[in-house]
Amino acid sequence: MQPIAKPPLIWFDGRLIPWEHATIHVTAHALHYGSSVFEGIRCYDGERGPAIFRLADHLERLAFSARIYRLSMPCSLAELTRACEEVLIANEFSEAYLRPIVFRGAGGFGLRPKADHPVHAAVIAMPWGAYLGDEGLEHGIEVGVVSWQRFAPASVPAAAKAGGHYLNSQLIVEEATRHGYAEGIALGRDGLLSEGSGENLFLVYKGKLYTPPPAAAILIGITRDTVLTLARELDIPVCEQALPRELLYAAEEVFLTGTAAEITPVRAVDGIPVGSGKPGPITRALQRRFFDLVRGRSEDRHGWLHPLPTAAAVRKEAIAR
Ligand SMILES: Cc1ncc(COP(=O)(O)O)c(C=O)c1O
């Protein structure tokens, strides 16, 4: 599912500018060599007003991704926090997907960035519904294990969310959709389960919740962490461990997690129904908990909701600065 609108305003290097002006030069390092780091964050219009889910955790991961690639952040996390707020308010979005991105701009060819190579930051906000479809969220999707593997250890740091890494994700989702699946599951270099093209993988086997560990070439998802926390609160036993592919065919339940995909049940893997072929009770319970939390219907015990300030509050703070 594609984003549905062009937001009128984009935050680019400290300013809100019109969509048409938010462009980069064709010689940009990021365009040729994939040197960007980015995030995907959701703002939900909940019962207590709009709130950005786990904003601080996402921005911390952005800084971590930049550190791995020695990309010096052009602005502070406090500035990026304000940028996320401002871009939502300026576009009058109470619910949207946020995409902060930091990338190397134009400055001549060559892999090694020049000392004066500019690093830019932008934040884009887009209305975006369920990534794998409302129907998928409700009834589950069909996935297939693909032939492309996730990164070998010491090749590409899977825990960083960097632009170039998504060439691998594009191969995964292209192969899966070509075979008629909604999403692909990739194995790691060792043949063990890793993750989807843009989601972490969970399965329920004999009543216990399993997910591959960080060493399985995954992005260490923030939704994954949310689900692990919610599962523990629901007294569901959880286990992060290396998992063989065949457990997908033995599992009672399988689901994918991600900021875009939220918690999407999987109803079949490689044409083999998962359990009864319908989302199972543990998936349903976790979905309920998750949506109650992000929509402000339950207590925010972990301080994960960042309430969107009003336009007046943002103006007042800007004047005070
Ligand atoms: C490759 C990959 N794995 C997992 C995820 C899930 O991460 P998160 O829950 O932080 O969105 C994403 C999405 O960002 C992703 O791109």
Side-chain angles (χ1 to χ4, degrees):
M1 193 187 205
Q2 295 304 313
I4 48 172
K6 277 188 195 171
L9 293 166
I10 287 176
W11 186 95
F12 199 173
D13 286 340
R15 290 187 309 133
L16 283 166
I17 59 172
W19 163 282
E20 298 74 27
H21 298 175
T23 55
I24 58 160
H25 197 264
V26 287
T27 62
H29 195 273
L31 183 64
H32 295 257
Y33 307 122
S35 51
S36 67
V37 294
F38 67 98
E39 275 303 315
I41 313 173
R42 275 192 193 265
C43 176
Y44 290 93
D45 194 4
E47 297 212 341
R48 283 173 259 150
I52 307 172
F53 189 59
R54 301 195 68 169
L55 175 61
D57 294 316
H58 280 284
L59 294 182
E60 245 173 55
R61 187 172 66 187
L62 182 75
F64 163 70
S65 302
R67 194 157 57 246
I68 293 176
Y69 281 105
R70 294 165 197 265
L71 240 162
S72 48
M73 293 280 282
C75 51
S76 68
L77 296 193
E79 280 169 295
L80 281 175
T81 301
R82 276 198 298 276
C84 290
E85 295 171 352
E86 279 173 19
V87 78
L88 287 167
I89 293 167
N91 286 298
E92 299 182 358
F93 292 150
S94 53
E95 175 142 338
Y97 179 86
L98 282 165
R99 166 61 55 82
I101 183 161
V102 171
F103 61 96
R104 286 196 216 279
F109 297 132
L111 279 173
R112 194 152 39 97
K114 315 277 175 302
D116 61 352
H117 230 119
V119 177
H120 302 283
V123 183
I124 306 138
M126 292 262 189
W128 201 359
Y131 178 61
L132 294 166
D134 289 326
E135 162 84 15
L137 214 50
E138 182 59 29
H139 300 293
I141 57 165
E142 296 202 18
V143 305
V145 176
V146 298
S147 60
W148 293 103
Q149 291 176 340
R150 290 283 295 166
F151 319 122
S155 64
V156 168
K161 193 167 169 69
H165 298 193
Y166 284 82
L167 286 171
N168 176 255
S169 289
Q170 288 176 54
L171 292 170
I172 294 167
V173 75
E174 191 283 327
E175 181 177 321
T177 51
R178 185 157 35 84
H179 292 132
Y181 300 116
E183 179 55 293
I185 302 295
L187 306 177
R189 186 77 186 84
D190 52 8
L192 300 173
L193 292 174
S194 177
E195 64 175 351
S197 69
E199 308 86 12
N200 292 118
L201 173 68
F202 281 83
L203 61 86
V204 177
Y205 179 63
K206 295 191 190 292
K208 199 165 168 181
L209 187 62
Y210 291 89
T211 194
I218 61 165
L219 181 76
I220 307 167
I222 289 166
T223 321
R224 173 185 182 275
D225 178 71
T226 305
V227 163
L228 288 171
T229 306
L230 297 181
R232 288 186 186 108
E233 288 173 6
L234 285 166
D235 291 327
I236 298 165
V238 298
C239 195
E240 289 180 66
Q241 65 165 65
L243 299 165
R245 171 179 181 167
E246 58 272 25
L247 265 202
L248 285 175
Y249 313 119
E252 293 108 59
E253 302 181 37
V254 176
F255 61 87
L256 300 176
T257 66
T259 299
E262 298 164 310
I263 299 177
T264 298
V266 171
R267 64 166 193 267
V269 181
D270 293 331
I272 302 175
V274 175
S276 65
K278 295 199 174 90
I282 291 182
T283 310
R284 282 278 179 249
L286 288 165
Q287 275 186 321
R288 241 185 338 267
R289 273 268 173 148
F290 177 79
F291 285 110
D292 281 350
L293 174 62
V294 299
R295 297 234 169 253
R297 293 190 292 260
S298 61
E299 190 197 342
D300 177 20
R301 286 200 212 173
H302 306 280
W304 283 341
L305 295 178
H306 177 96
L308 189 64
T310 60
V314 168
R315 265 198 306 275
K316 205 165 140 196
E317 205 206 297
I319 292 165
R321 276 203 310 272

